[in-house]
Amino acid sequence: MDTRKRRGAIIIRDSPPNIPLSRFLNEGDVVLLLTPGVVPKAITATSTSNEPKGSSSDPFEPFGRGLAKHHPWVHHVPYLPRNGITNTHRVHIRLAKTVVFVISGPPSHGQLSQVELAETARSICEHRPQVIVACCNIRDLGLLEGAFPTIIQLPDYSAGELEAAADFLFQEPRVQESRVQEPRRSLTGPNVQNLILSPKAWPVEVWDGRDLTGIEELWSQCLPKRFHLSGYQFRSLLVRDGYSMHYIVREPGTSEVLGFCATYTSYVNGGDDERLIGSMAAVLVRPSYRQRGIGLSLHNHALSQLKKPRGVCRIQLGSTFPRLLYGLPVDSPAEDWFRRRNWPIHPQSAEPGSGQEACDWFLQFGDWPATSFTSSGLTFRPCEFSEFDMVLDIVAKESKRRDNAGWYDQYAKLGGTMNIQDIVLGLEGNRIVATALTYIKRRGSEVADDLPWAATISDDVGGVTCICIADDNPNMANRRDTIMIRLLDSCIRLLSGHGMKSMFIDAIKGGDDGFQSMGFQKWTRYREVWRDI
């Protein structure tokens, strides 16, 4: 093979050997090429491609065509870093004999890490070969030899480099070996292993409140834009004296923030219930330092600390209140990472805490059906001060029965304040059968301090949380949907009276068809994951 056509391809690792791909591919075996959706080189300022200026074609098409010259059964499927690995990708991966996964570079602001997406793809591949093709210096990615057996590095994703790399993946071992020796020396000298850092235990410190800007930046790098918070909001959620404890990993030489873990310990139900729940609210690692053991060091340290307080009976992913994330976001690349750390993520299981879905919902009031809702014997109105103790009794009972951790405290903190009238009641005669908490940030509700997301959407979005329906008797159980609709209608009327135009409801389990039929849209989907201890 003409050595000029191989250009800058370098084997960083190939153990066990997967190159050349022709070694194990037979006629009809599918090679799946997964490539990121990126801006074509031809329309970037530094482009050296021969494509015409302004071309909008997939820049990885030359790679697919190059592979197909050697093996015609190539399926080229792009992925979007902002959307991750979808069910469509999973189907293609399971049908493939081998997967070639292309990484264009570190994540842009608000995008998922392509390295984490590659790790997700590898978990689906199981024992089938996967080849990582990094179109950048892997020092910028934090790739690990333990995570990916075969890693190829290219200088960029120009057409010439990609075509040469396709030839490179199919060339014979004798020619290939003569190719890789000299570039390895020129790339790293005698310290090639410095490129691939094995996971290690990093020193974990208790966060002392410093470097908030660095931690806020880390939060924004690791989570989609809808979860971004102002510095004030972020600090108010983190600094909770008495029941928050957060941990940090720094770069030893510069003290730069590399990783952060937020944890809380709170009462399960309040009242006379002294049981505690530990929340691992978030584990964040700077994208360029991932897969070096930072996340694992934070996870293991935080887990051991959460188990220590007397009375802790459960540890969960996500947090009750204050609410950073309710649980593990659905389809997050971190699902497989936590599953490998023995967290019970089995969405098809009927066992509570095993990954069942809960949703945050958003409604524009104009989409709510313009219908006069009536139901015999039921009335709905704001709570009166004389009814507050009865409300707490109902919430304590229903929270315990339905395993709704932290709800009692959200109601209890309104005691002695005018915000008691933010509680909406459903009554059958004089008996309270349903309650809901409404909140608006500018009205000074303490509930709004624990639930930031309505206010981050817009100033005219009000919130509803902790909906309790006392359906322990058959008559109420049969009317649950009717009660829910009437209760939500009353919440809308209350919030509209305070100038709100939309509504946000958090952590609803089930009822998707019903909510969508009433005009709601899903805002975020989470998995409920916990361990009882």
Side-chain angles (χ1 to χ4, degrees):
M1 185 179 294
D2 181 358
T3 58
R4 290 174 297 176
K5 290 200 68 179
R6 278 172 293 210
R7 290 196 172 187
I10 300 169
I11 296 180
I12 300 300
R13 176 179 170 82
D14 190 30
S15 178
N18 291 319
I19 301 174
L21 298 180
S22 55
R23 177 181 302 166
F24 52 84
L25 289 174
N26 298 316
E27 184 173 340
D29 286 342
V30 172
V31 174
L32 176 62
L33 174 62
L34 291 173
T35 61
V38 297
V39 178
K41 279 286 181 181
I43 62 174
T44 61
T46 58
S47 172
T48 57
S49 170
N50 292 324
E51 294 184 32
K53 194 78 171 175
S55 171
S56 59
S57 63
D58 186 339
F60 296 103
E61 285 182 3
F63 196 20
R65 290 195 298 266
L67 293 173
K69 287 194 305 182
H70 299 275
H71 187 78
W73 297 275
V74 174
H75 291 181
H76 182 187
V77 181
Y79 66 89
L80 295 178
R82 66 175 180 272
N83 294 339
I85 300 301
T86 66
N87 288 334
T88 300
H89 295 113
R90 293 173 187 271
V91 171
H92 281 286
I93 291 170
R94 292 189 178 106
L95 294 175
K97 176 75 173 187
T98 187
V99 174
V100 178
F101 195 102
V102 177
I103 296 173
S104 61
S108 299
H109 186 71
Q111 287 188 342
L112 298 172
S113 164
Q114 294 176 37
V115 174
E116 289 190 5
L117 298 181
E119 189 176 85
T120 298
R122 176 153 181 75
S123 70
I124 302 169
C125 284
E126 296 177 335
H127 301 297
R128 286 166 292 167
Q130 183 191 31
V131 176
I132 299 296
V133 178
C135 302
C136 60
N137 192 320
I138 68 167
R139 285 194 183 96
D140 298 332
L141 301 175
L143 286 169
L144 292 176
E145 56 178 335
F148 305 109
T150 302
I151 304 173
I152 307 299
Q153 177 178 288
L154 305 182
D156 53 43
Y157 53 88
S158 60
E161 291 293 351
L162 292 171
E163 290 167 352
D167 292 337
F168 188 41
L169 289 174
F170 278 91
Q171 69 185 68
E172 292 304 313
R174 181 181 60 80
V175 179
Q176 175 177 299
E177 183 64 24
S178 66
R179 163 66 183 151
V180 302
Q181 291 300 316
E182 182 58 31
R184 278 192 166 192
R185 289 194 296 271
S186 64
L187 178 69
T188 62
N191 298 316
V192 68
Q193 292 304 316
N194 289 344
L195 259 180
I196 305 174
L197 304 175
S198 298
K200 64 178 183 178
W202 292 72
V204 177
E205 308 169 16
V206 174
W207 181 54
D208 58 7
R210 296 184 295 120
D211 300 311
L212 181 65
T213 301
I215 295 168
E216 182 189 350
E217 177 188 344
L218 185 60
W219 175 271
S220 297
Q221 286 179 349
C222 295
L223 291 163
K225 188 174 182 179
R226 67 175 49 193
F227 291 115
H228 293 185
L229 294 159
S230 69
Y232 173 79
Q233 289 174 313
F234 195 50
R235 184 176 185 84
S236 69
L237 291 168
L238 291 181
V239 181
R240 298 299 177 102
D241 292 342
Y243 59 96
S244 65
M245 183 66 72
H246 312 310
Y247 305 98
I248 194 167
V249 167
R250 301 179 187 274
E251 168 63 50
T254 65
S255 294
E256 178 188 12
V257 177
L258 303 183
F260 181 77
C261 179
T263 73
Y264 302 90
T265 304
S266 54
Y267 287 105
V268 174
N269 289 316
D272 296 330
D273 192 340
E274 296 186 356
R275 295 177 303 152
L276 299 172
I277 183 169
S279 296
M280 189 177 296
V283 180
L284 312 172
V285 177
R286 192 169 296 279
S288 58
Y289 280 82
R290 288 175 184 167
Q291 299 186 14
R292 301 189 186 184
I294 295 171
L296 185 60
S297 297
L298 285 165
H299 170 275
N300 291 349
H301 183 80
L303 196 59
S304 67
Q305 297 301 308
L306 285 170
K307 292 178 180 178
K308 287 183 177 181
R310 188 174 183 178
V312 171
C313 64
R314 174 179 295 172
I315 298 176
Q316 68 172 18
L317 298 181
S319 61
T320 55
F321 304 97
R323 180 73 47 75
L324 289 178
L325 303 174
Y326 176 74
L328 191 62
V330 170
D331 293 331
S332 164
E335 272 192 32
D336 291 316
W337 190 90
F338 281 106
R339 189 181 288 113
R340 292 197 302 274
R341 274 74 195 173
N342 297 318
W343 287 91
I345 305 176
H346 312 292
Q348 304 308 315
S349 171
E351 186 70 22
S354 297
Q356 290 73 32
E357 188 171 310
C359 294
D360 293 344
W361 292 90
F362 176 77
L363 172 75
Q364 292 183 326
F365 291 160
D367 294 333
W368 181 252
T371 304
S372 178
F373 298 103
T374 60
S375 49
S376 177
L378 293 174
T379 57
F380 295 83
R381 58 170 173 76
C383 180
E384 297 177 0
F385 286 87
S386 61
E387 297 167 318
F388 185 65
D389 288 341
M390 288 186 288
V391 169
L392 292 184
D393 290 341
I394 291 170
V395 172
K397 178 182 177 181
E398 291 302 309
S399 294
K400 187 172 183 179
R401 190 164 71 91
R402 295 189 173 275
D403 215 2
N404 293 323
W407 286 25
Y408 180 92
D409 285 346
Q410 292 303 300
Y411 281 86
K413 67 175 56 177
L414 302 184
T417 73
M418 294 299 296
N419 293 115
I420 284 177
Q421 296 178 329
D422 293 340
I423 301 171
V424 176
L425 302 182
L427 301 99
E428 185 180 45
N430 294 322
R431 186 168 71 95
I432 299 173
V433 296
T435 69
L437 267 176
T438 67
Y439 59 93
I440 299 171
K441 181 65 177 175
R442 59 178 169 79
R443 283 175 55 82
S445 171
E446 290 189 53
V447 176
D449 293 337
D450 282 347
L451 292 163
W453 303 117
T456 63
I457 297 172
S458 176
D459 290 339
D460 60 7
V461 178
V464 177
T465 189
C466 301
I467 298 173
C468 290
I469 298 178
D471 56 0
D472 51 340
N473 70 69
N475 183 45
M476 283 297 106
N478 293 335
R479 303 170 70 185
R480 181 179 177 84
D481 289 348
T482 299
I483 294 171
M484 175 66 86
I485 292 171
R486 289 286 310 277
L487 189 64
L488 292 176
D489 186 63
S490 297
C491 291
I492 290 170
R493 294 174 186 276
L494 179 64
L495 293 171
S496 295
H498 294 301
M500 299 296 102
K501 297 180 180 179
S502 304
M503 183 168 72
F504 178 89
I505 307 179
D506 65 286
I508 296 293
K509 306 168 194 176
D512 289 15
D513 292 342
F515 275 93
Q516 289 171 338
S517 70
M518 302 302 286
F520 283 89
Q521 303 173 32
K522 286 186 179 180
W523 191 76
T524 305
R525 300 157 60 211
Y526 299 101
R527 297 209 184 281
E528 288 189 323
V529 182
W530 68 66
R531 299 174 180 173
D532 287 327
I533 60 174

